[in-house]
Amino acid sequence: GHESTVYSIAYSQDGITLVSASGDHTCRLWNVTNGTELRIFWGATAAIGCVVFSPDGCTFATSGNDNINRIWHGFSGSCLKEFRGTSVAEDYKFGAKSLAYSPDGTVIAC
């Protein structure tokens, strides 16, 4: 399991798969029916504080203390996209405390 505090968890729509986000800079995919760790997602350079599954259950999004939001492919383990930078609000770093997908999965609010 994780080597640091777990800050966020999210269920996939299938009700069997769960993703956890941690201070150890990783996300982990779990099968909740038997407790098996399915995959570790590496690439964040700081704690990951928020995670949410897409409506289709194939991808999930994370946000962390490195001020990068990422979209991950749940099956391959690859990072599909990174969002960096700042928002239009002055001095606001692009790291979210919460994330949400639109119902059709095309937009992520943070």
Side-chain angles (χ1 to χ4, degrees):
H2 287 287
E3 296 176 9
S4 185
T5 304
V6 173
Y7 293 113
S8 183
I9 57 172
Y11 266 103
S12 175
Q13 295 287 51
D14 66 10
I16 297 170
T17 310
L18 181 123
V19 64
S20 55
S22 173
D24 66 6
H25 308 184
T26 70
C27 286
R28 295 174 191 247
L29 200 65
W30 305 89
N31 178 320
V32 297
T33 59
N34 60 20
T36 304
E37 184 179 285
L38 303 173
R39 182 175 308 281
I40 301 174
F41 297 82
W42 303 93
T45 58
I48 303 170
C50 185
V51 63
V52 63
F53 257 107
S54 64
D56 68 7
C58 293
T59 61
F60 62 89
T62 62
S63 185
N65 291 347
D66 57 4
N67 298 314
I68 301 172
N69 295 332
R70 294 176 174 88
I71 299 175
W72 302 87
H73 190 272
F75 304 111
S76 72
S78 62
C79 180
L80 301 175
K81 192 164 199 80
E82 291 186 344
F83 301 90
R84 300 171 188 257
T86 58
S87 76
V88 292
E90 188 176 335
D91 295 327
Y92 177 77
K93 297 244 188 236
F94 197 54
K97 299 294 182 202
S98 62
L99 297 168
Y101 270 94
S102 62
D104 66 1
T106 60
V107 177
I108 299 173
C110 55

